[in-house]
Amino acid sequence: MALNISPNLPRTAQPRCPYFGECGGCAMQDVEYTEQVRAKQAALSDLLGRDVPVTPSPEPYNYRFKMEYVTAFGRIGLRRMGDYKQVVDLRECHLVQPRVSSLLADLHRWRDEFEIETYDYLAHRGDLRYIVTRHAFSSDELM
């Protein structure tokens, strides 16, 4: 079973992210949030065959406490939308907590400073394949 969200949503919102449409991390930043919630509720109800209440998040951005960044081909980021062989080199991300997003600049700097070879997953070689960040909700600690 798969969740099928209508591709015919009104695309009237201004995406917050400069990588939107390129990066595979977000798919609906150009859809007003209330319309996203309605579409997700309709898709869940259709999938499960019954009415499913969906509660909107109080914050539609910066909600993710864990992120797995891909480090490949000299880039640190997320896979390109529709093409897993490409990586979008991110400098910020609005999915994660702002403190985690600000670490991206440090990660790029450290990669260059310590000459860390990012992974080439077509040739299966390299020193660093993923970077996992975590923001602990209870202690506000970055890991």
Side-chain angles (χ1 to χ4, degrees), residues 11-129:
R11 306 280 177 171
T12 58
Q14 180 64 36
R16 180 185 285 187
C17 181
Y19 306 101
F20 177 75
E22 182 181 1
C23 171
C26 304
M28 294 196 296
Q29 277 193 24
D30 59 346
V31 176
E32 294 293 339
Y33 185 63
T34 54
E35 184 64 24
Q36 289 181 36
V37 173
R38 189 206 60 72
K40 291 172 186 177
Q41 182 171 10
L44 279 170
S45 296
D46 184 54
L47 179 69
L48 299 175
R50 62 181 176 84
D51 189 37
V52 178
V54 174
T55 304
S57 172
E59 177 53 56
Y61 292 100
N62 309 116
Y63 57 85
R64 196 174 277 181
F65 288 93
K66 176 187 171 200
M67 178 65 89
E68 294 181 24
Y69 294 104
V70 177
T71 60
F73 308 114
R75 298 182 174 132
I76 298 172
L78 297 175
R79 296 186 194 272
R80 184 175 303 279
M81 185 176 289
D83 186 358
Y84 75 94
K85 294 180 181 179
Q86 299 293 318
V87 175
V88 177
D89 201 26
L90 298 181
R91 301 299 169 158
E92 63 182 317
C93 180
H94 297 283
L95 293 178
V96 295
Q97 300 294 304
R99 289 178 56 207
V100 174
S101 185
S102 69
L103 282 176
L104 282 168
D106 291 331
L107 294 173
H108 282 68
R109 186 174 46 79
W110 294 331
R111 179 204 56 211
D112 296 342
E113 181 180 333
F114 297 109
E115 299 176 356
I116 299 169
E117 182 183 354
T118 59
Y119 200 71
D120 178 336
Y121 45 85
L122 301 178
H124 303 289
R125 67 169 194 256
D127 298 321
L128 185 62
R129 192 170 187 173

